[in-house]
Amino acid sequence: MSTTANRVGSVAVGFDAVGFSQDFPALHQLVHGKPLVYLDNAATSQKPRSVIDAITRFYEEDCSNIHRGVHLLSERATKAYEEVRLAVQQFIHAARPAEVIFVRGTTEAINLVAQSYGRTHVKTGDAVLVSAMEHHSNIVPWQILCEEKGSKLRVIPMNDRGELLLEEYEKLLTPETKLVAVAHVSNVLGTVNPVKQIIRMAHEYGIPVLVDGAQAVPHLQVDVQDLDCDFYAFSGHKMYGPTGIGILYGKKRLLEAMPPYQGGGDMISSVTFEKTTYNSLPHKFEAGTPNISGVIGLGAAIKYLARVGLDNVATHEHDLLAYATEQITRFSGVRVIGTAQAKAAVLSFVLDGIHPHDIGTILDHEGIAVRTGHHCAQPVMQFFGIPATTRASFALYNTEAEVDVLLRGIAKVQEMFA
Amino acid sequence: MMPDSRDIRDLYQDMIFEHSKRPENFHALPDANRKAEGFNPLCGDHFTVFLRLDNDTVTDISFEGLGCAISKSSASMMTASLKGKTKSQVQELFAQFQRLVTNRAIETDDEAELGKLVVFSGVCEFPVRVKCAILAWHAMMSALDQKADMVSTE
């Protein structure tokens, strides 16, 4: 791929988004003859060169299986893999490395908790509580569990700004509620939920809380001890890391009492045909050869984010979102979906009389990558009475000038449909 | 990177805008004896196609639902094209339309048969939009293939 394009400049002061964008090879290409403006970061972010190089280096120099071989390559790979566990521990401020479980992504993390913790603790007549703004991955695993157990899935309602109704939530914290599962940041609405308060309220009734942090970790500092969450699930690929790697954080006390999710190699201490003794944490939940290169790539992504500084990223993205929101609301016929007080990096909108699918195709021809559709959150679409939205979502490398390209694209869409 | 010659107006031709804004036969059909739904779960497009079939001839056809400009205009122009056609003519036109939007070798008489439907020829350059153009047609074929005694006429 030899085609490159000059990236449009940033007007933001103090944060060099254009400079950082140089670290991301995929950003520098023409799409339909126009410089790529990548605004689909809530689906997946682009990867910096350091992440791509770390994965390549692993395969070129250290490729081997971990926790097994006595040879040098295996030793190096094992060390690199376990060092990333420590990096993740620090990244989310977990108390212990053993509380960091490597999984495929947020979806697998939630399924692990549903199948292991859920099947042990949720019984007939019990309830699992989710919110009205959940991604399908934080709905369906609980539905599968509830169907199997004869238990109920209950929903914390929200207002039309996309904010959860905490007084209604409190009423749902009944004795039959055995778990609360809630998004930290909504992938459609951008709402930053008050998860610390949600957790404190649940804990007053002795109910544990799982937080879906997939959309939060790229945008804000997460401290699982300060939140006091019982489980925290997130993916690497939305925070500049590779696909296919994610994290389940769980409190040691809970993880230790949970049965394994999958059986296989690495998760055992000893196996006979009569009895198997399971390995200790975190290995009990990491059956089989893991995504070693993915873990190593994730480690590089954490390093990259640490270098840029998550607080700087948060401020930059907040400025971009404020600018984009202010500008887009000047258009007639635009309705922003998700207008919560606290939002992060996501701007969903609909245009009067124009289907998001058409918007997406026309914007694509302007070089602008956005997501259109129901964003794996059909209940949110039903709540707002719309089939789909167009979603622009921001990352650390986006600029105000790119927001301007998006706004010109929207004007073109409206012109074509006028 | 591949060179890209696709023009957005090849996809969005004027007639497509006209039909998406003012669709023809856009209503339920009280005396329909065939009915089927077309749903694309990925984008939420959802149409119901109503057919009145008498002696293997489409005597009336209409549709209802929600979708993008491509899917809605395709549904509208489909209903306009099929009225009065026999079942086998409808099946043949469906095959021709499918060839048109998926860019399989267009047979020489296809274009004449398709008439105004050739405005969808640009769709084949946009693979993710082929499903939009063909959605209502699939619903129509499913309605056409229903056994009369299985059909609700509500």
Side-chain angles (χ1 to χ4, degrees):
Chain A
M1 201 163 58
S2 60
T3 313
T4 56
N6 290 324
R7 299 265 301 161
V8 276
S10 169
V11 294
V13 183
F15 186 89
D16 187 12
V18 173
F20 291 126
S21 82
Q22 296 302 320
D23 300 331
F24 293 79
L27 291 174
H28 304 278
Q29 58 179 303
L30 297 176
V31 168
H32 305 297
K34 311 269 171 60
L36 170 64
V37 173
Y38 188 79
L39 298 176
D40 194 17
N41 297 287
T44 198
S45 65
Q46 295 300 336
K47 320 305 172 198
R49 171 66 69 196
S50 61
V51 167
I52 299 164
D53 286 349
I55 295 167
T56 306
R57 202 179 316 116
F58 167 73
Y59 280 121
E60 288 184 350
E61 297 172 14
D62 298 335
C63 182
S64 55
N65 214 325
I66 55 165
H67 300 145
R68 291 164 172 77
V70 293
H71 57 80
L72 182 64
L73 265 58
S74 176
E75 201 178 293
R76 286 207 300 254
T78 304
K79 182 165 174 286
Y81 182 88
E82 289 302 331
E83 277 173 0
V84 176
R85 200 187 303 277
L86 299 177
V88 173
Q89 181 205 344
Q90 286 173 17
F91 181 66
I92 59 169
H93 304 92
R96 302 166 187 84
E99 295 177 322
V100 173
I101 315 287
F102 289 120
V103 292
R104 273 194 298 144
T106 310
T107 298
E108 186 173 52
I110 296 171
N111 276 280
L112 190 162
V113 176
Q115 289 300 310
S116 173
Y117 182 88
R119 287 175 85 185
T120 316
H121 291 86
V122 179
K123 309 264 191 283
T124 307
D126 286 345
V128 174
L129 196 49
V130 298
S131 92
M133 64 177 79
E134 296 308 313
H135 187 281
H136 294 165
S137 64
N138 202 24
I139 300 173
V140 183
W142 307 114
Q143 279 175 329
I144 293 171
L145 174 71
C146 288
E147 196 161 315
E148 181 189 315
K149 293 291 181 175
S151 38
K152 290 161 285 198
L153 189 69
R154 290 194 175 137
V155 183
I156 310 164
M158 63 178 166
N159 63 26
D160 56 15
R161 292 189 300 276
E163 295 164 325
L164 295 180
L165 303 176
L166 294 186
E167 58 282 14
E168 297 300 316
Y169 165 58
E170 177 126 43
K171 291 178 201 159
L172 293 165
L173 296 170
T174 57
E176 63 261 33
T177 299
K178 292 296 184 284
L179 187 84
V180 175
V182 67
H184 197 164
V185 172
S186 157
N187 72 311
V188 184
L189 307 169
T191 310
V192 182
N193 285 318
V195 283
K196 191 172 175 181
Q197 192 183 350
I198 287 169
I199 293 161
R200 198 176 55 230
M201 288 166 72
H203 284 180
E204 278 171 25
Y205 297 86
I207 304 166
V209 179
L210 174 142
V211 179
D212 170 355
Q215 298 293 342
V217 286
H219 307 297
L220 44 97
Q221 296 271 5
V222 171
D223 183 331
V224 291
Q225 291 188 81
D226 179 56
L227 292 176
D228 199 24
C229 56
D230 300 279
F231 300 103
Y232 197 96
F234 63 100
S235 300
H237 72 97
K238 295 185 200 287
M239 51 174 282
Y240 313 104
T243 56
I245 187 68
I247 303 296
L248 172 67
Y249 159 82
K251 283 181 180 167
K252 181 168 175 261
R253 174 178 57 82
L254 296 172
L255 291 174
E256 274 182 339
M258 283 158 57
Y261 169 55
Q262 292 176 331
D266 223 28
M267 56 76 71
I268 50 86
S269 292
S270 71
V271 175
T272 65
F273 284 112
E274 287 69 41
K275 181 165 176 57
T276 291
T277 311
Y278 302 131
N279 203 339
S280 57
L281 289 177
H283 312 293
K284 182 172 86 175
F285 290 107
E286 293 179 6
T289 297
N291 182 356
I292 305 168
S293 69
V295 166
I296 285 162
L298 176 64
I302 290 172
K303 265 190 202 140
Y304 185 84
L305 263 175
R307 191 158 65 76
V308 178
L310 250 179
D311 288 336
N312 299 331
V313 173
T315 306
H316 170 68
E317 290 171 346
H318 182 269
D319 290 350
L320 274 185
L321 179 66
Y323 175 70
T325 305
E326 186 204 321
Q327 294 296 316
I328 204 171
T329 43
R330 292 184 181 183
F331 282 74
S332 64
V334 172
R335 176 180 165 210
V336 173
I337 304 295
T339 49
Q341 281 286 320
K343 277 186 70 172
V346 168
L347 180 63
S348 263
F349 60 93
V350 291
L351 300 183
D352 283 351
I354 312 176
H355 193 282
H357 221 144
D358 297 314
I359 299 169
T361 295
I362 297 166
L363 290 182
D364 176 50
H365 266 249
E366 298 299 307
I368 306 160
V370 292
R371 173 81 189 269
T372 61
H374 55 57
H375 316 292
C376 298
Q378 287 178 347
V380 178
M381 301 296 109
Q382 287 149 17
F383 177 84
F384 286 97
I386 49 179
T389 77
T390 304
R391 179 186 71 187
S393 52
F394 306 111
L396 62 89
Y397 40 67
N398 291 127
T399 64
E400 280 194 10
E402 289 181 315
V403 173
D404 291 337
V405 175
L406 171 68
L407 296 164
R408 285 198 294 275
I410 293 168
K412 180 163 183 184
V413 171
Q414 289 190 320
E415 200 182 294
M416 277 180 74
F417 275 80
Chain B
M1 202 165 59
M2 296 234 316
D4 193 352
S5 59
R6 297 184 292 180
D7 189 318
I8 193 72
R9 292 308 301 249
D10 290 346
L11 179 64
Y12 291 99
Q13 299 194 28
D14 287 342
M15 199 180 290
I16 287 177
F17 282 123
E18 282 162 28
H19 276 267
S20 76
K21 284 179 204 157
R22 284 173 292 277
E24 291 179 29
N25 306 306
F26 190 52
H27 50 76
L29 199 62
D31 61 347
N33 53 10
R34 300 279 198 285
K35 179 177 105 171
E37 286 179 52
F39 180 53
N40 182 345
L42 292 178
C43 61
D45 287 4
H46 195 166
F47 292 103
T48 306
V49 173
F50 302 87
L51 274 182
R52 172 86 208 171
L53 201 67
D54 295 305
N55 299 322
D56 263 7
T57 298
V58 176
T59 49
D60 208 353
I61 176 168
S62 71
F63 77 108
E64 273 188 327
L66 272 177
C68 63
I70 303 299
S71 60
K72 198 170 186 180
S73 58
S74 175
S76 168
M77 292 179 69
M78 173 188 80
T79 58
S81 312
L82 295 185
K83 228 177 268 192
K85 290 215 163 31
T86 65
K87 196 170 172 177
S88 62
Q89 286 172 322
V90 170
Q91 285 161 338
E92 180 52 27
L93 199 64
F94 171 76
Q96 289 169 329
F97 187 75
Q98 207 171 25
R99 283 196 290 272
L100 177 79
V101 295
T102 55
N103 200 24
R104 270 174 283 163
I106 307 267
E107 288 165 24
T108 38
D109 6 314
D110 277 5
E111 281 205 19
E113 291 286 331
L114 284 162
K116 286 178 181 174
L117 291 170
V118 295
V119 297
F120 290 97
S121 62
V123 173
C124 64
E125 299 290 334
F126 295 78
V128 297
R129 305 306 299 275
V130 171
K131 276 188 202 158
C132 308
I134 205 88
L135 179 63
W137 287 79
H138 278 298
M140 178 278 295
M141 287 298 282
S142 147
L144 194 71
D145 290 341
Q146 281 164 356
K147 300 278 183 289
D149 58 351
M150 289 171 59
V151 171
S152 150
T153 52
E154 63 178 33

